[in-house]
């Protein structure tokens, strides 16, 4: 005597195994997508913290220029660049000595921020003021190019550059 189960060939088992395989692949795809999004948000955070540290280094350099008007050299401060002797910009030159920023604005992460200050000579404070005879002493002011960079250990590196004018006393 034949039972009703003897005619079945395992079609249900194959169907269930295929559905299980599809659900496993969907689960792995969503897990991979979640990990990618987590990495992207971590990189965005690292870049944001690096940007803040580099910006704090710029402010630190500006405060140093404001407070110390004497023309010291070394330790991150350089005279006006001469393209004939230094064709490579200082921030790209491996021999450049960078100064460590002292105040990072309360950033407590392991971010290292450094900067260099380049004297860029004197320039007019407002357009055309150097064409008036006699030239007003408050017309010309010292200019500096500040390049700041920040780097977290093995993470995002951020480099910022600004031009800073020193007001005449």
């Amino acid at each position: 005597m034949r039972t009703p189960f003897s005619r079945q060939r395992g079609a249900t088992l194959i169907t269930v195994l295929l559905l299980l395989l599809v659900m496993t692949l969907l689960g792995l795809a969503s897990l991979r997508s979640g990990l990618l999004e987590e990495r992207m948000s971590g990189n965005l955070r690292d870049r944001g913290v690096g940007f803040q540290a580099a910006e704090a280094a710029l402010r630190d350099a500006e405060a140093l220029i404001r407070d110390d008007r004497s023309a010291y050299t070394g330790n991150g401060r350089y005279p006006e660049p001469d393209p004939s002797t230094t064709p490579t910009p200082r921030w790209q030159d491996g021999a450049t000595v960078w100064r460590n920023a002292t105040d990072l604005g309360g950033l407590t992460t392991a971010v290292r921020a450094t900067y260099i200050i380049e004297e860029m000579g004197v320039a007019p404070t407002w357009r055309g003021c150097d064409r008036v005879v006699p030239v007003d002493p408050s017309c010309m002011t010292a200019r500096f190019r500040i390049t700041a960079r920040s780097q977290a250990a093995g993470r995002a590196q951020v480099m910022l550059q600004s031009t800073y004018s020193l007001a005449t006393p």
Side-chain angles (χ1 to χ4, degrees), residues 85-106:
T85 59
T86 54
T88 304
R90 285 202 176 97
W91 61 88
Q92 292 178 345
D93 189 1
T96 300
V97 178
W98 293 74
R99 183 182 179 107
N100 290 326
T102 55
D103 181 21
L104 292 181

Side-chain angles (χ1 to χ4, degrees), residues 67-119:
D67 298 342
D68 185 11
R69 293 179 184 226
S70 64
Y72 74 90
T73 56
N75 196 11
R77 187 162 176 174
Y78 294 93
E80 188 170 355
D82 182 9
S84 63
T85 59
T86 54
T88 304
R90 285 202 176 97
W91 61 88
Q92 292 178 345
D93 189 1
T96 300
V97 178
W98 293 74
R99 183 182 179 107
N100 290 326
T102 55
D103 181 21
L104 292 181
L107 290 174
T108 57
T109 58
V111 177
R112 182 172 170 250
T114 55
Y115 61 85
I116 57 172
I117 301 170
E118 296 175 274
E119 296 181 28

Side-chain angles (χ1 to χ4, degrees), residues 1-151:
M1 175 163 188
R2 293 186 130 188
T3 62
F5 295 111
S6 62
R7 299 190 74 215
Q8 293 184 3
R9 306 259 187 241
T12 306
L13 179 62
I14 292 172
T15 306
V16 169
L17 286 175
L18 284 175
L19 286 174
L20 185 61
L21 178 66
V22 168
M23 291 180 65
T24 303
L25 290 176
L26 285 173
L28 287 174
S30 88
L31 184 66
R32 191 172 184 187
S33 173
L35 289 173
L36 179 64
E37 288 175 11
E38 185 178 347
R39 259 191 245 136
M40 287 176 10
S41 65
N43 287 341
L44 186 62
R45 181 196 171 280
D46 288 344
R47 189 184 178 298
V49 169
F51 186 85
Q52 290 175 6
E55 200 169 42
L58 281 178
R59 302 299 164 248
D60 193 31
E62 289 172 1
L64 181 67
I65 294 169
R66 233 185 357 259
D67 298 342
D68 185 11
R69 293 179 184 226
S70 64
Y72 74 90
T73 56
N75 196 11
R77 187 162 176 174
Y78 294 93
E80 188 170 355
D82 182 9
S84 63
T85 59
T86 54
T88 304
R90 285 202 176 97
W91 61 88
Q92 292 178 345
D93 189 1
T96 300
V97 178
W98 293 74
R99 183 182 179 107
N100 290 326
T102 55
D103 181 21
L104 292 181
L107 290 174
T108 57
T109 58
V111 177
R112 182 172 170 250
T114 55
Y115 61 85
I116 57 172
I117 301 170
E118 296 175 274
E119 296 181 28
M120 301 305 286
V122 292
T125 11
W126 64 88
R127 189 173 170 184
C129 73
D130 57 336
R131 295 187 204 131
V132 178
V133 178
V135 175
D136 184 6
S138 66
C139 166
M140 304 301 276
T141 184
R143 303 247 174 158
F144 301 89
R145 177 170 53 204
I146 304 168
T147 306
R149 68 179 180 189
S150 69
Q151 169 101 35

